[in-house]
Amino acid sequence: MPELMRAVSQDVLGGPDVLRIVETERPEPGPTEVLVRVRAAGVNPTDWKHRAGLGFLREPPFILGWDVSGVVEATGVGVTLHKPGDEVFGMLRYPFRGGSHAEYVVAPSRTFVAKPPGIDHVQAGALPLAALTAWQALVDTAGVGEGQRVLVHAAAGGVGHLAVQIAKSRGAYVIGTASGAKHGFLHGIGVDEAIDYREVDFAEAVKGVDVVLDTIGGDYGPRSLRTLRRGGILVSLVLRDLVPVDAAAAGVRTEALLVEPDFAAMTRIAALAEEGALRAEIDTVLPLEEAAWAHERGETGRVTGKIVFTV
């Protein structure tokens, strides 16, 4: 193995133009860690937020990226779960460290699960962060089950389109908001009722919802409270925009979720992917050298599904 690796890094906070390819030392796995050669890594909104200084990381330099699909190259002492040559995928510890937008990455062995043989590395590299976010919001936090009504905002987005599929896999009736041009895509992934947020006030059109997944923030949280039945729950991925006082007055519950690595949930996600019940829509596939363009495209807000780097 080479002693150096290529990675996307930045020395300052700022726009996409601060991203550059660097050569840096390849990491070494410590006890209970594995070294993974990255084959594909998803790009998520949190990447461009951290690049601009709106995330949890401190001052650069740092390497972004939390999605990983790749091949185990070496293991540290005490690792029994994976062996060199195994194909794995998973999410690095969020919101700290990152580092998957590189040729190699090191992480605790139970960060990763076996990549299903029925999907390729691009598909696997698109799933971890967004699918874990959707799973932890809908399953672990809201307990979505058979017959429940679920409202997913930005249902064609990275988290949203996977949340739709996870909710459907659990027997829910799914309502999704997106621009009218994306409604065909939404129905194709299982949305029962699509709402064009540009033409319709969802807060007036939707009532009696059991669960709302808010991936947008702003006034979407307060407005979504009006769609919930009494006893329903709103799970927000935008921590700063929750309004718990309004929620209490309406007789509903609100929760703010920050995704965590989760071996058990990744195992369930892998099973759904292998069954064909969960599939990431791939918007664009790019090499690491196109990182700046990937961030520019992501920040337009017009991405359907995920952007993925191949390494």
Side-chain angles (χ1 to χ4, degrees):
M1 287 183 288
E3 294 182 359
L4 298 177
M5 69 173 186
R6 294 161 57 252
V8 179
S9 186
Q10 62 187 93
D11 293 322
V12 296
L13 301 173
D17 59 312
V18 304
L19 298 173
R20 60 192 182 91
I21 295 290
V22 301
E23 278 201 339
T24 186
E25 287 188 10
R26 175 181 53 78
E28 291 285 347
T32 74
E33 292 183 328
V34 294
L35 172 70
V36 173
R37 182 184 178 104
V38 180
R39 296 291 301 276
V43 184
N44 297 284
T46 192
D47 291 309
W48 49 83
K49 290 176 182 175
H50 279 90
R51 183 210 72 225
L54 302 176
F56 296 91
L57 297 180
R58 300 189 183 277
E59 289 300 310
F62 46 66
I63 300 168
L64 297 172
W66 285 269
D67 285 331
V68 181
S69 182
V71 179
V72 175
E73 292 286 333
T75 61
V77 63
V79 174
T80 61
L81 194 61
H82 305 298
K83 302 297 181 186
D86 288 351
E87 294 188 319
V88 297
F89 76 130
M91 185 191 78
L92 304 181
R93 187 184 173 214
Y94 185 83
F96 310 104
R97 196 171 183 173
S100 71
H101 296 167
E103 291 180 319
Y104 294 90
V105 71
V106 157
S109 67
R110 292 175 188 272
T111 296
F112 303 107
V113 301
K115 181 184 75 66
I119 65 174
D120 62 19
H121 282 291
V122 169
Q123 181 65 210
L127 284 171
L129 187 148
L132 277 175
T133 301
W135 183 276
Q136 291 170 9
L138 296 180
V139 181
D140 296 342
T141 305
V144 167
E146 188 78 31
Q148 288 195 313
R149 288 166 57 82
V150 178
L151 172 59
V152 178
H153 289 305
V159 172
H161 84 293
L162 298 177
V164 167
Q165 295 171 68
I166 288 170
K168 292 301 296 181
S169 76
R170 298 181 69 80
Y173 179 93
V174 179
I175 305 160
T177 64
S179 64
K182 296 182 178 180
H183 285 192
F185 168 71
L186 293 190
H187 290 305
I189 61 172
V191 166
D192 299 287
E193 186 178 337
I195 294 177
D196 187 343
Y197 66 91
R198 295 173 176 171
E199 303 292 335
V200 176
D201 180 358
F202 71 83
E204 297 298 328
V206 181
K207 300 297 178 186
V209 167
D210 297 283
V211 179
V212 175
L213 178 59
D214 177 17
T215 66
I216 299 175
D219 69 348
Y220 268 67
R223 290 167 62 204
S224 294
L225 296 180
R226 292 153 50 195
T227 72
L228 285 165
R229 66 165 177 79
R230 196 164 189 84
I233 179 172
L234 181 149
V235 184
S236 175
L237 307 183
V238 188
L239 279 59
R240 66 180 182 275
D241 291 332
L242 272 184
V243 190
V245 175
D246 291 348
V252 299
R253 184 162 62 100
T254 60
E255 295 285 355
L257 179 105
L258 197 61
V259 67
E260 303 174 64
D262 186 335
F263 180 80
M266 275 303 304
T267 301
R268 298 289 296 276
I269 287 164
L272 286 176
E274 182 66 8
E275 295 164 11
L278 184 65
R279 182 168 180 81
E281 176 72 9
I282 307 301
D283 182 274
T284 314
V285 179
L286 298 165
L288 291 178
E289 288 80 2
E290 298 292 337
W293 191 87
H295 280 228
E296 288 174 10
R297 172 153 181 77
E299 288 181 297
T300 66
R302 294 195 292 269
V303 171
T304 299
K306 292 291 295 288
I307 299 170
V308 179
F309 290 135
T310 53
V311 186

